[in-house]
Amino acid sequence: MRRPRYTPSWHSKRKSSWLRNTLLLIFIGLPLLLILAELIARGALLATGTTQLEPNKTVAIAQSYAFKLQDANGNSYPGLPDSGRLKVRRSPLLGYELIPSQSSDYWQINDQGFRQDSSVPIEKPAGEIRIFLVGGSTAFTNMAEKNQKALAFKIEKLINDRVRAQNNNPEKFKPKETPYFADQIEAMRALPPRIRDGSYRVIAAAVPGYTSGNELALLSQKVSAYSPNALIILDGYEDLRSPSSQPAHEIGNIDQLLRDPIAQYRQHQSQQFGNWINSFYLVKAWQKWIVPADTATFSSDYQIFSAEQFSKDPKELQKRIDRYVYNTKQMTKLAGDIPTLIVLQPEITGKKKALTKEEQGILKSLGNEYSDRVTNAYNVAEKTLSSQFPNTKFINFYQLFQSSNQQAFIDPIHLTEAANDTVAQKLYESIEQAFSVQPAPNSINSDITPQSVPTPQPTPTPEPAKPTSPPASLSETLQRVQGQ
């Protein structure tokens, strides 16, 4: 019979002591090591003169365009996402609006809530011609690296360059007065028309996530006060994916917060802990160089795309399109006689024939169901819009990039800088026609009418009827505007 092996007591004590020391080393040494690494990371960063460690540029830009919903006192709502940089607040008249006088490394919002570098006075300076650009995030130019790369600024530069060109080289454009001789008149007809002289200002009044309902309220309650000379409405996508039961887009699920405050408090605590963890430089370094954070981490609802947002029910789809058409008609009615350009914004499924590798990846991540639903929605919308606006300029940009071999989209609706240049050029070419002027007849050939583009005379926007009392909510605002 085999005897049991004898283990000295000092051996077991030695083993337990080693285990205890190992655990102490882990529980005490590891936090100390992390603290030391954190201090080294902060010291190294300060030594380079940098005070922050931002994520990679793409994520940083996406985060800067994500919403940070705040209350009237500038505080975030507990339990609601607060990692974005673009500050917004709830508005009883507009649903929500950009908080004035804020800026980031990639955009600047002026004191009126417009994406402008400076204030826009109510009283229009002499010689200034104002064009307002309204719409959602595509019109706002999400992911642009600065204001000067946004659509409004690009259009403004193009049209002011045109004014300078016709003033510096008048011989290349139709003259201000009809010439005397037949051969000169014939040569004149081959020249491009002049546009109205003045200082053109294109004002970006777009707000990410806005639907036509928000834009209608914005035009009625805000834009019309600035006496626009022309209006560009670049939208459509948000209306197609927004349920027909919603007259406009609102943010911040306050109703859910009130129904279940305990769940919201827990979510708030979890969010606070996550923010605390993300404040460490080691975590920031990990997210920047080791495992980069995804742009979806900081995305607002308008930056999240899925097939489920687009209805496969033909009746529901038609209701959404009818809502869009109705609101757009009300906007053209409010605009009165000023030129209005209605543009159905581009979307990635309109470029299926010439997708780049990056765009193929975007479309693949969205799935076939998304492509089918969006393609159908845009086709139905285009047929309805083209038949509903015979007297108003309507342009369909859905397939604007279908023949382009260069990357145009960085997600389903937001564009690269080169693609924004193309959109700006197309919008400029369309809007400049509204300001074309005919040569004046001279005293000898006063009976000769040159064949040039007719000139609509821009007139101040008629002020909307003033209600006896201000509207109290977005729904009441829309009801009053639609009833005018």
Side-chain angles (χ1 to χ4, degrees):
M1 183 175 180
R2 188 176 184 180
R3 292 182 179 181
R5 186 176 181 180
Y6 173 72
T7 303
S9 60
W10 61 268
H11 184 76
S12 61
K13 290 180 179 179
R14 182 180 177 185
K15 185 176 181 180
S16 62
S17 176
W18 176 85
L19 180 61
R20 183 174 62 252
N21 292 337
T22 301
L23 292 175
L24 284 173
L25 180 63
I26 292 174
F27 287 120
I28 296 176
L30 185 59
L32 290 176
L33 183 62
L34 290 175
I35 292 173
L36 179 62
E38 176 71 11
L39 292 175
I40 292 174
R42 289 175 180 262
L45 202 63
L46 291 173
T48 62
T50 306
T51 58
Q52 295 185 12
L53 184 62
E54 296 291 344
N56 68 69
K57 188 173 183 180
T58 301
V59 173
I61 295 177
Q63 185 178 11
S64 77
Y65 282 94
F67 284 158
K68 187 179 186 69
L69 180 61
Q70 296 186 338
D71 61 19
N73 298 319
N75 300 316
S76 298
Y77 289 92
L80 295 181
D82 64 352
S83 60
R85 296 287 183 267
L86 187 57
K87 298 176 184 178
V88 296
R89 63 189 177 195
R90 292 166 63 85
S91 167
L93 301 180
L94 307 176
Y96 65 94
E97 61 184 347
L98 301 178
I99 294 179
S101 303
Q102 58 171 312
S103 63
S104 77
D105 293 336
Y106 307 104
W107 44 255
Q108 182 175 344
I109 309 300
N110 72 1
D111 56 343
Q112 291 130 337
F114 300 134
R115 185 173 187 173
Q116 297 291 119
D117 293 336
S118 59
S119 181
V120 181
I122 292 288
E123 295 297 328
K124 193 187 303 182
E128 182 172 282
I129 302 170
R130 291 177 176 174
I131 303 170
F132 271 80
L133 173 64
V134 301
S137 56
T138 300
F140 188 76
T141 323
N142 264 41
M143 302 301 286
E145 296 184 10
K146 56 183 178 180
N147 273 8
Q148 288 69 28
K149 293 187 177 182
L151 275 176
F153 289 80
K154 290 177 181 291
I155 299 169
E156 179 178 290
K157 183 179 185 303
L158 288 169
I159 199 164
N160 281 317
D161 285 349
R162 170 62 179 274
V163 172
R164 282 190 289 272
Q166 68 184 25
N167 289 335
N168 294 335
N169 302 285
E171 71 282 356
K172 295 182 179 180
F173 299 88
K174 284 185 169 62
K176 293 184 178 181
E177 187 176 90
T178 305
Y180 292 100
F181 303 105
D183 58 336
Q184 293 176 332
I185 294 175
E186 190 64 28
M188 176 196 72
R189 289 171 176 167
L191 297 174
R194 296 175 59 86
I195 64 172
R196 178 182 168 188
D197 282 328
S199 175
Y200 287 82
R201 186 169 188 179
V202 182
I203 300 162
V207 178
Y210 263 18
T211 66
S212 59
N214 301 99
E215 295 156 16
L216 175 58
L218 178 73
L219 180 60
S220 171
Q221 300 296 322
K222 196 171 183 178
V223 171
S224 60
Y226 293 89
S227 304
N229 298 97
L231 181 65
I232 301 175
I233 305 171
L234 175 63
D235 58 5
Y237 185 86
E238 294 296 340
D239 275 87
L240 292 176
R241 70 171 178 169
S242 177
S244 62
S245 58
Q246 297 178 2
H249 187 199
E250 299 191 49
I251 60 173
N253 198 347
I254 304 301
D255 292 337
Q256 182 179 348
L257 186 150
L258 295 175
R259 285 196 304 268
D260 195 352
I262 296 178
Q264 289 295 325
Y265 176 76
R266 290 173 180 169
Q267 184 175 345
H268 173 61
Q269 293 297 103
S270 175
Q271 186 179 73
Q272 292 295 98
F273 179 75
N275 291 342
W276 177 71
I277 290 294
N278 289 330
S279 67
F280 288 103
Y281 280 65
L282 286 177
V283 175
K284 293 179 179 180
W286 179 271
Q287 293 177 344
K288 183 176 179 65
W289 290 304
I290 309 301
V291 182
D294 194 288
T295 56
T297 305
F298 307 106
S299 297
S300 299
D301 59 351
Y302 75 88
Q303 297 169 299
I304 299 173
F305 311 93
S306 68
E308 289 71 24
Q309 296 168 336
F310 294 86
S311 177
K312 60 182 178 181
D313 179 9
K315 292 183 179 179
E316 168 62 16
L317 173 60
Q318 192 60 54
K319 287 181 180 179
R320 297 181 186 187
I321 295 173
D322 291 342
R323 174 193 56 195
Y324 174 57
V325 170
Y326 182 77
N327 287 335
T328 305
K329 282 186 174 181
Q330 295 302 311
M331 283 189 274
T332 60
K333 181 179 177 182
L334 278 174
D337 294 330
I338 70 171
T340 302
L341 188 63
I342 301 168
V343 186
L344 189 59
Q345 69 187 80
E347 196 275 338
I348 193 170
T349 58
K351 191 180 183 283
K352 287 182 179 179
K353 296 180 180 179
L355 293 170
T356 64
K357 183 178 179 180
E358 293 82 359
E359 290 168 331
Q360 288 175 1
I362 296 170
L363 209 54
K364 183 178 179 180
S365 67
L366 294 168
N368 294 332
E369 184 70 14
Y370 174 91
S371 296
D372 293 341
R373 292 191 186 188
V374 173
T375 301
N376 177 63
Y378 263 86
N379 289 337
V380 177
E382 195 278 333
K383 292 178 182 178
T384 306
L385 289 164
S386 59
S387 64
Q388 291 292 326
F389 294 100
N391 299 321
T392 306
K393 189 76 172 179
F394 167 70
I395 305 176
N396 183 9
F397 276 1
Y398 173 51
Q399 296 181 331
L400 179 63
F401 301 103
Q402 65 175 337
S403 301
S404 173
N405 293 322
Q406 294 183 335
Q407 182 178 354
F409 295 90
I410 54 180
D411 64 31
I413 56 173
H414 302 127
L415 306 172
T416 63
E417 184 179 359
N420 279 317
D421 286 336
T422 300
V423 172
Q425 180 67 35
K426 294 294 183 181
L427 292 176
Y428 153 72
E429 292 171 358
S430 297
I431 203 66
E432 73 162 351
Q433 298 176 18
F435 298 101
S436 298
V437 293
Q438 299 183 59
N442 57 58
S443 56
I444 297 179
N445 296 328
S446 59
D447 58 331
I448 298 177
T449 303
Q451 297 179 1
S452 60
V453 179
T455 306
Q457 296 297 324
T459 58
T461 306
E463 295 185 0
K466 296 182 179 180
T468 55
S469 60
S473 66
L474 173 61
S475 297
E476 186 176 342
T477 300
L478 293 177
Q479 288 174 2
R480 292 193 178 186
V481 172
Q482 292 167 356
Q484 293 176 4

